[in-house]
Amino acid sequence: MLYDGPDGVHPVVGTFDAEHRARGGGGGSLGYPLGPVSMRGAGNQCQSFERGHLVRLSDQWIVSPHGSWFLAPALAELRTQINQAFPGRDKTTDGTVGDLAHQARVSDHNPDRTACGVVRAFDIDKDLRTGDPQVLAEALTKDPRVAYVIFRSRIYLRTAGAWRPYTGSNPHDSHIHVSLRHGVAYDHAVGSWALS
């Protein structure tokens, strides 16, 4: 079934179509779809609607609110690898989901409600204790999943292929900010990171 809703035309197919219809379809409790079926966290399927995410956990259906979120699996893997590579590192300025200040603007730290609440940004405290944060920031730019990296008033944009001055209000002196590219292929990509 195709629905022409407030965010454009999107399909609801298969078991999601049946469950959505059981909940009243476009005029029901979930409303119109905001995007196609995606994945959420550990391989659970999900589709975002106007009034929440419809999530299939094996044979169980749940509706989660738009405020719910999950860290993109690639960034969860990056966090694990960094913790293993730099044991005892400072985590004071680590960050994932955005605070109220972030929620007031466009930010990859905010859950994307059209993609089941994925968060595409991770901040890594610069105090690695046993490593050079600039070397780590450079290594992160080599991964094809990365859209941009910000550190010490500089930004590496994949589209530019180089570091440029960064003039945003936060110079990112205390942490390295890494954001993933957008899209299902990146939101659910897995695989290890080359950290040096």
Side-chain angles (χ1 to χ4, degrees):
M1 176 70 75
L2 289 174
Y3 288 89
D4 188 4
D7 287 359
V9 177
H10 300 290
V12 183
V13 299
T15 57
F16 278 83
D17 181 40
E19 187 65 23
H20 184 238
R21 286 175 191 249
R23 294 169 185 265
S29 61
L30 287 166
Y32 291 96
L34 300 176
V37 172
S38 186
M39 302 296 284
R40 181 173 183 144
N44 302 311
Q45 289 185 306
C46 174
Q47 187 162 13
S48 293
F49 293 85
E50 290 176 290
R51 292 183 282 282
H53 308 297
L54 182 59
V55 183
R56 186 172 73 182
L57 309 170
S58 299
D59 293 329
Q60 179 185 4
W61 290 96
I62 63 167
V63 175
S64 64
H66 282 302
S68 64
W69 64 278
F70 70 100
L71 185 62
L75 294 178
E77 173 62 26
L78 175 60
R79 180 175 53 193
T80 297
Q81 282 188 242
I82 288 173
N83 289 340
Q84 291 170 348
F86 306 103
R89 72 182 185 88
D90 190 348
K91 299 176 185 174
T92 304
T93 62
D94 277 13
T96 54
V97 70
D99 58 12
L100 290 175
H102 279 91
Q103 293 170 26
R105 64 184 190 275
V106 174
S107 171
D108 285 334
H109 284 294
N110 295 332
D112 184 342
R113 74 184 190 106
T114 67
C116 296
V118 66
V119 170
R120 300 183 179 102
F122 175 44
D123 292 337
I124 306 157
D125 194 293
K126 73 172 184 176
D127 185 359
L128 303 174
R129 305 281 161 97
T130 59
D132 183 344
Q134 188 61 50
V135 170
L136 176 59
E138 294 285 347
L140 295 174
T141 68
K142 308 292 190 252
D143 195 291
R145 297 170 287 189
V146 171
Y148 61 92
V149 176
I150 308 171
F151 186 49
R152 293 181 176 155
S153 298
R154 296 172 64 226
I155 184 169
Y156 177 92
L157 294 166
R158 173 150 313 283
T159 55
W163 287 94
R164 305 263 168 98
Y166 178 73
T167 57
S169 60
N170 180 347
H172 295 78
D173 288 334
S174 65
H175 62 267
I176 303 164
H177 171 99
V178 58
S179 277
L180 293 184
R181 295 164 75 177
H182 289 215
V184 173
Y186 304 108
D187 292 346
H188 307 288
V190 294
S192 62
W193 294 73
L195 300 182
S196 59

